[in-house]
Amino acid sequence: MYIHLGGDQIVRARDVIAILDHQSMDSLSFLESSKQAGRLVDIPDDEVKSYVVTSHRVYSSPISSVTLMRRAKQIRVFHKNK
């Protein structure tokens, strides 16, 4: 299953390591190092509200971390009930 991050970006739910709120990001060095390594994917939209860390990339997202977490939980419940 996939999680829509905004714009035309989707990621596989199983690849998601963390969903982080933009305002709670204490360490900009993590984002800066991801950007320098070419791993930061900016989703062209309004302001960044969250970051989604996967095994290969870090995505900025205009969707709140709460909404993204809710989507991820719905996927887990769907698979558990199958």
Side-chain angles (χ1 to χ4, degrees):
M1 300 290 290
Y2 294 89
I3 301 173
H4 178 250
L5 303 180
D8 61 354
Q9 290 292 329
I10 59 171
V11 295
R12 286 189 294 188
R14 68 178 179 193
D15 291 341
V16 174
I17 296 170
I19 298 173
L20 309 168
D21 184 66
H22 172 68
Q23 293 180 348
S24 69
M25 290 297 293
D26 293 331
S27 175
L28 292 177
S29 63
F30 170 72
L31 292 175
E32 193 59 40
S33 65
S34 296
K35 187 175 185 177
Q36 288 176 356
R39 295 184 49 205
L40 181 63
V41 178
D42 285 318
I43 297 174
D45 216 339
D46 293 329
E47 71 179 280
V48 175
K49 294 183 180 175
S50 61
Y51 291 96
V52 178
V53 180
T54 68
S55 51
H56 301 295
R57 303 240 186 269
V58 177
Y59 296 87
S60 64
S61 176
I63 300 173
S64 75
S65 59
V66 172
T67 300
L68 292 172
M69 286 296 294
R70 192 175 308 131
R71 291 178 183 180
K73 285 180 183 178
Q74 287 174 346
I75 291 169
R76 286 188 193 119
V77 168
F78 175 77
H79 281 289
K80 189 175 184 180
N81 291 332
K82 274 188 143 181

